[in-house]
């Protein structure tokens, strides 16, 4: 990594072993929450952080915590405690502590419920400097005499609002009551309900307040709608939409190469200039079509997902999903082709009966409904279905794929959505 990038972390006041560790993680530069939080946290200030998972908040508290622990002598007891609501989060934080602390030689342990406690007792007997814990199991082990918190000098409450939602707030208060008052306290919460505000007021002393919101993605900025339309009606609807006002430069997505050819040919026959690009077209044919599309002389480009990857064309006014993609993430990539660089854009999807599960998958990923373009459905057009009855609320559990582990290539920070409650 070039020195200039590494020094962005060093400039926050982080020590060489930590800078080296984040370098090894492939981080290029600090995220906004890290830039805001790390310098003050290193000074020992209390902190109130309003940030969701995916903003890089874990490193924002783990890095300064590790540095301060490494700078002070071991006491033989637990010196830093991180409270977090779930087993998954506890395990993730612990994994981050191992990664960021790899050159420091500090000891850490993680405890959570739902598993036998023997292995955790053994880990605790090794005198960790730092403990990551969920509140229930921590209280349990405290009551059994396995844990004392009277040497804790740094306390972190992570995802405090979630601990509240999960009914842990009393446990959290009981735990905090056993931690020495002379300490640094860092509290992170995605939202600040009244109870968390009250908790923050009672446990933080003159805190620095930092707040970041996740970057808005195409899914937030592009106007989206869906037409319920059967296969036979898609062609007529596409033509109608393409003749509509404000539809200037449009990318139409199909699932297959064959489909892309067919749709493009039908449009040309209907008098709408268009071309298809996909893997079976020669490179020169693809480039020609793209060039015309870019120059504005070709209003409609019909593409498959793969062919569209490298397309970066300014001013695409509409993306039309003639077919819904099989993979929900492709939807987000597709609609990201419009509304770029502050320009407004809209994404219209066609969904037939067979594609309903695909739409459900996309909405689950987006964690919201795509509005039905009811007002625009041509009346009396037999092939266009009525919008189905209001759909059930999407299930609440939108699990994201686990973060990749192992050696990491250089990566740019990609904000993620927080896990739903
Ligand atoms: P978090 O919000 O702490 O759950 O972090 C979200 C993801 O961002 C994790 O996979 C981190 O490894 C990663 N991350 C944290 N800080 C950075 C950074 N400065 N650059 C790149 N990735 C980061």
């Amino acid at each position: 990594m070039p020195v200039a990038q590494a020094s962005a972390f060093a400039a926050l006041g982080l020590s060489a072993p930590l800078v080296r560790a984040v370098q090894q993680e492939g981080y290029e530069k600090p995220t906004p929450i890290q830039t805001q939080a790390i310098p003050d946290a290193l000074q020992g200030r209390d902190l109130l952080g309003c940030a969701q998972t995916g903003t890089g908040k874990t490193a924002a508290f783990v890095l300064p915590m590790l540095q301060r622990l490494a700078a002070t002598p071991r006491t033989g007891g637990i010196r830093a405690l991180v409270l977090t609501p779930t087993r998954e989060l506890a395990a993730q934080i612990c994994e981050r502590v191992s990664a960021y602390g790899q050159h420091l030689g500090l000891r850490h342990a993680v405890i959570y419920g739902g598993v036998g406690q023997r292995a955790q007792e053994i880990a605790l007997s090794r005198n960790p400097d730092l403990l990551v814990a969920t509140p229930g199991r921590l209280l349990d082990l405290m009551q059994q005499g396995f844990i004392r918190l009277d040497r804790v000098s740094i306390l972190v409450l992570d995802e405090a609002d979630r601990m509240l939602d999960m009914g842990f707030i009393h446990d959290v208060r009981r735990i905090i009551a056993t931690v020495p008052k002379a300490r640094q306290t860092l509290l992170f919460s995605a939202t600040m309900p009244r109870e968390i505000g009250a908790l923050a007021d009672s446990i933080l002393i003159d805190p620095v307040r930092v707040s970041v919101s996740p970057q808005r993605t195409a899914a937030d900025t592009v106007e989206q709608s869906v037409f319920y339309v059967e296969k036979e009606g898609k062609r007529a609807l596409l033509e109608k939409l393409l003749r509509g006002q404000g539809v200037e430069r449009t990318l139409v997505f199909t699932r297959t190469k064959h489909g892309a050819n067919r749709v493009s040919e039908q449009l040309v026959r209907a008098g709408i200039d268009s071309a298809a690009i996909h893997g079976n077209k020669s490179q020169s044919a693809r480039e020609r079509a793209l060039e015309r599309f870019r120059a504005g002389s070709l209003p409609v480009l019909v593409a498959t997902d793969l062919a569209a990857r490298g397309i970066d064309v300014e001013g695409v006014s509409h993306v039309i999903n003639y077919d819904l993609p099989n993979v929900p993430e492709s939807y987000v990539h597709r609609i990201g082709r419009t509304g770029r660089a502050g320009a407004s854009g809209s994404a219209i999807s066609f969904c037939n009966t067979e594609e309903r599960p695909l739409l459900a998958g996309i909405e689950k990923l987006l964690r919201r409904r795509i509005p039905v373009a009811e007002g625009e459905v041509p009346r009396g057009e037999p092939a266009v279905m009525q919008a189905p009855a209001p759909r059930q609320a999407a299930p609440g559990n939108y699990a994201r794929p686990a973060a990749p582990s192992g050696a990491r290539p250089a990566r740019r920070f990609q904000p993620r959505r927080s896990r739903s409650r």
Side-chain angles (χ1 to χ4, degrees):
M1 175 185 290
V3 173
Q5 287 170 1
S7 70
F9 284 98
L12 298 179
L14 290 171
S15 63
L18 290 169
V19 172
R20 188 142 54 97
V22 294
Q23 243 176 290
Q24 283 167 330
E25 288 300 294
Y27 297 177
E28 292 179 351
K29 58 180 183 3
T31 67
I33 190 83
Q34 291 161 9
T35 305
Q36 288 179 45
I38 289 174
D40 286 312
L42 281 173
Q43 297 304 314
R45 291 280 306 267
D46 280 4
L47 198 123
L48 179 59
C50 198
Q52 299 192 344
T53 297
T55 53
K57 72 175 163 64
T58 313
F61 64 77
V62 170
L63 291 169
M65 180 170 65
L66 290 173
Q67 181 155 329
R68 298 192 67 229
L69 288 178
T72 46
R74 305 192 67 186
T75 59
I78 296 164
R79 296 189 287 147
L81 172 68
V82 180
L83 284 180
T84 188
T86 67
R87 168 185 171 163
E88 290 74 25
L89 274 168
Q92 265 175 44
I93 294 169
C94 182
E95 190 263 329
R96 295 290 82 207
V97 168
S98 305
Y100 304 144
Q102 59 184 300
H103 305 298
L104 291 178
L106 293 164
R107 292 189 198 155
H108 66 274
V110 59
I111 59 171
Y112 43 73
V115 294
Q117 73 172 48
R118 185 70 197 128
Q120 298 177 359
E121 288 168 20
I122 294 170
L124 289 166
S125 70
R126 297 197 181 116
N127 291 328
D129 299 284
L130 189 162
L131 180 67
V132 182
T134 55
R137 175 59 61 96
L138 176 61
L139 265 183
D140 238 19
L141 289 167
M142 282 168 70
Q143 280 155 1
Q144 295 175 51
F146 288 106
I147 298 176
R148 294 175 57 134
L149 299 178
D150 54 358
R151 302 282 172 84
V152 169
S153 59
I154 306 175
L155 172 68
V156 179
L157 303 190
D158 185 35
E159 308 230 347
D161 52 350
R162 217 159 145 197
M163 292 205 268
L164 175 75
D165 289 350
M166 293 173 75
F168 294 153
I169 205 73
H170 295 298
D171 286 353
V172 168
R173 282 193 180 273
R174 283 171 66 196
I175 292 164
I176 295 174
T178 70
V179 175
K181 287 211 161 35
R183 60 163 194 258
Q184 177 184 29
T185 310
L186 314 173
L187 187 154
F188 285 85
S189 198
T191 58
M192 285 292 162
R194 199 172 38 80
E195 291 95 325
I196 297 301
L199 177 71
D201 285 345
S202 65
I203 64 169
L204 300 175
I205 299 170
D206 185 24
V208 178
R209 289 163 198 269
V210 297
S211 173
V212 296
S213 44
Q215 240 174 43
R216 279 151 68 84
T217 64
D220 300 313
T221 56
V222 172
E223 191 189 314
Q224 300 161 67
S225 58
V226 59
F227 279 95
Y228 289 100
V229 53
E230 287 305 351
K231 241 189 221 142
E232 318 79 78
K234 286 188 174 184
R235 184 175 141 192
L237 182 59
L238 178 65
E239 286 178 24
K240 179 178 152 45
L241 291 172
L242 289 175
R243 293 186 206 282
Q245 289 226 323
V247 181
E248 289 144 20
R249 196 177 294 169
T250 304
L251 253 177
V252 177
F253 281 95
T254 60
R255 210 159 25 230
T256 64
K257 299 170 194 171
H258 183 65
N261 278 340
R262 202 180 45 229
V263 168
S264 173
E265 284 160 14
Q266 284 163 353
L267 288 175
V268 171
R269 272 203 296 278
I272 298 172
D273 197 6
S274 87
I277 58 164
H278 52 68
N280 286 359
K281 295 260 176 185
S282 71
Q283 184 65 23
S284 62
R286 276 195 268 174
E287 275 168 17
R288 256 198 324 275
L290 255 177
E291 205 32 64
R292 284 186 58 210
F293 189 61
R294 251 190 221 113
S297 63
L298 182 70
V300 182
L301 199 59
V302 187
T304 55
D305 286 302
L306 219 65
R309 279 231 175 116
I311 299 180
D312 190 4
V313 178
E314 297 268 299
V316 172
S317 69
H318 287 70
V319 163
I320 298 181
N321 294 312
Y322 193 87
D323 303 313
L324 285 177
N326 286 330
V327 182
E329 283 77 9
S330 298
Y331 175 86
V332 180
H333 290 147
R334 286 180 178 188
I335 71 169
R337 307 275 157 200
T338 181
R340 290 198 153 185
S344 69
S346 70
I348 300 168
S349 299
F350 295 175
C351 177
N352 65 26
T353 311
E354 281 166 27
E355 292 175 306
R356 291 292 301 280
L358 300 178
L359 181 64
I362 291 164
E363 292 184 329
K364 194 168 161 184
L365 177 76
L366 300 180
R367 301 166 66 195
R368 81 163 91 109
R369 296 273 166 238
I370 301 173
V372 180
E374 278 165 304
E376 298 171 55
V377 174
R379 280 196 184 280
E381 205 149 305
V384 177
M385 297 185 291
Q386 279 300 324
R391 289 166 282 162
Q392 296 291 306
N397 184 17
Y398 304 101
R400 276 184 280 108
S405 60
R408 294 170 172 85
R411 60 199 164 120
R412 227 167 254 293
F413 176 69
Q414 290 273 325
R416 289 184 322 200
R417 303 188 153 271
S418 70
R419 219 182 302 278
S420 82
R421 314 273 136 104

